[in-house]
């Protein structure tokens, strides 16, 4: 059974870069897409972007200029970088396996990232 | 971008009652619509995929229907553990989008 474990810095200052990693346990990166999704306080879910097992990416246009999603096949991990963060980027960030223009399952445990000066 | 509009935003329900949540897409998305349950301090969990296919391990009281632009999630005989926020999600086109959520409270 595939499980996702994620981690990264939880407190950032404005203009810093958000970096999170998601490790895939019990399965391979092959054959799937891997997504990042966030939930701002009191709001709904927002898809950030995805990367395929071959490294091709799709990003939400609302974040595209600041986002990069990377793959590390040697470690069975993928990562999210979001540059120039502001308070509006404060959210719980989730990684998830994306079955390729299909559903998300499973999800990581979530990481709260707070942006504050 | 495909916009998903869920209704209602909030529902307070007595145990054993039936709950119906709707999700309307801004354009035809076929059956590329999935439903999740999100409890506080947990990760979202997949309930229904492709409009009506129950995901493995999901209790049979959860069911989905619909195609095109109109979809429904039904919870038959609500149980206390079903208190959560429910989201629809479309995978028809990028950017992938979610509905605004429906919070279900147990009376």
């Amino acid at each position: 059974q595939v499980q996702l474990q994620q981690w990264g810095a939880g407190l950032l200052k404005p203009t810093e870069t958000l970096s999170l990693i998601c490790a895939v346990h019990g399965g391979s990166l092959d054959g799937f897409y891997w997504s990042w999704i966030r939930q701002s306080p009191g709001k709904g879910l927002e898809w950030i972007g995805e990367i395929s097992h071959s490294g091709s990416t799709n990003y939400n246009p609302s974040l595209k200029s600041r986002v990069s999603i990377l793959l590390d096949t040697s470690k069975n991990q993928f990562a999210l970088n979001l540059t120039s963060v502001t308070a509006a980027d404060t959210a719980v960030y989730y990684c998830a396996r994306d079955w390729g223009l299909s559903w998300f399952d499973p999800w990581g445990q979530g990481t709260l990232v707070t942006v504050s000066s | 971008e495909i916009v998903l509009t869920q209704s209602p935003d909030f529902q307070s329900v007595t145990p054993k009652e039936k709950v119906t949540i709707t999700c309307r897409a801004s354009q035809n998305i076929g059956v590329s619509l999935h439903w999740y349950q999100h409890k506080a301090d947990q990760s979202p969990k997949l309930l229904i995929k492709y409009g009506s296919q129950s995901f493995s391990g999901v209790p049979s009281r959860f069911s989905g229907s619909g195609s095109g632009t109109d979809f429904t999630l039904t919870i038959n005989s609500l149980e206390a553990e079903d208190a959560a926020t429910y989201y629809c999600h479309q995978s028809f086109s990028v950017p992938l989008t979610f509905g605004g959520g429906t919070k279900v409270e147990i009376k």
Side-chain angles (χ1 to χ4, degrees):
Chain A
Q1 181 179 343
V2 171
Q3 292 185 317
L4 305 184
Q5 179 187 17
Q6 57 180 105
W7 66 89
L11 180 62
L12 296 174
K13 290 181 168 43
T15 75
E16 291 184 334
T17 295
L18 180 158
S19 294
L20 297 174
I21 295 174
C22 185
V24 179
H25 299 289
S28 170
L29 292 168
D30 290 345
F32 295 97
Y33 281 71
W34 303 90
S35 273
W36 289 96
I37 297 153
R38 70 181 183 179
Q39 182 175 36
S40 302
K43 296 191 176 180
L45 298 166
E46 179 183 29
W47 177 74
I48 299 169
E50 65 184 4
I51 188 165
S52 75
H53 61 97
S54 61
S56 63
T57 55
N58 290 304
Y59 298 130
N60 193 319
S62 66
L63 298 166
K64 188 173 184 177
S65 63
R66 298 191 292 128
V67 171
S68 58
I69 297 177
L70 308 168
L71 213 56
D72 187 338
T73 55
S74 67
K75 294 181 179 179
N76 224 32
Q77 297 174 353
F78 61 106
L80 169 69
N81 289 326
L82 180 66
T83 62
S84 304
V85 297
T86 70
D89 295 311
T90 293
V92 176
Y93 288 76
Y94 296 97
C95 59
R97 183 171 63 177
D98 173 351
W99 291 65
L101 279 182
S102 295
W103 60 92
F104 299 117
D105 178 78
W107 297 56
Q109 79 274 21
T111 301
L112 173 62
V113 177
T114 302
V115 181
S116 174
S117 55
Chain B
E1 172 175 320
I2 295 173
V3 176
L4 297 178
T5 304
Q6 279 184 243
S7 61
D9 295 334
F10 176 82
Q11 200 163 7
S12 184
V13 187
T14 303
K16 298 188 179 180
E17 263 192 84
K18 179 180 176 179
V19 173
T20 301
I21 299 169
T22 65
C23 178
R24 174 162 288 178
S26 59
Q27 67 183 72
N28 189 331
I29 58 172
V31 292
S32 298
L33 191 287
H34 320 287
W35 291 97
Y36 302 84
Q37 177 190 66
H38 192 191
K39 296 183 180 180
D41 299 324
Q42 295 186 19
S43 304
K45 289 183 169 48
L46 178 68
L47 295 174
I48 303 290
K49 55 187 175 82
Y50 288 133
S52 62
Q53 297 177 16
S54 293
F55 189 62
S56 175
V58 173
S60 58
R61 62 182 180 275
F62 292 93
S63 63
S65 64
S67 65
T69 59
D70 294 305
F71 300 85
T72 300
L73 174 70
T74 301
I75 311 173
N76 282 300
S77 192
L78 187 80
E79 297 190 6
E81 66 182 28
D82 300 333
T85 300
Y86 294 84
Y87 292 94
C88 57
H89 149 232
Q90 67 81 19
S91 61
F92 184 80
S93 67
V94 172
L96 307 178
T97 52
F98 292 87
T102 297
K103 186 173 183 177
V104 174
E105 173 194 88
I106 310 299
K107 282 184 183 174

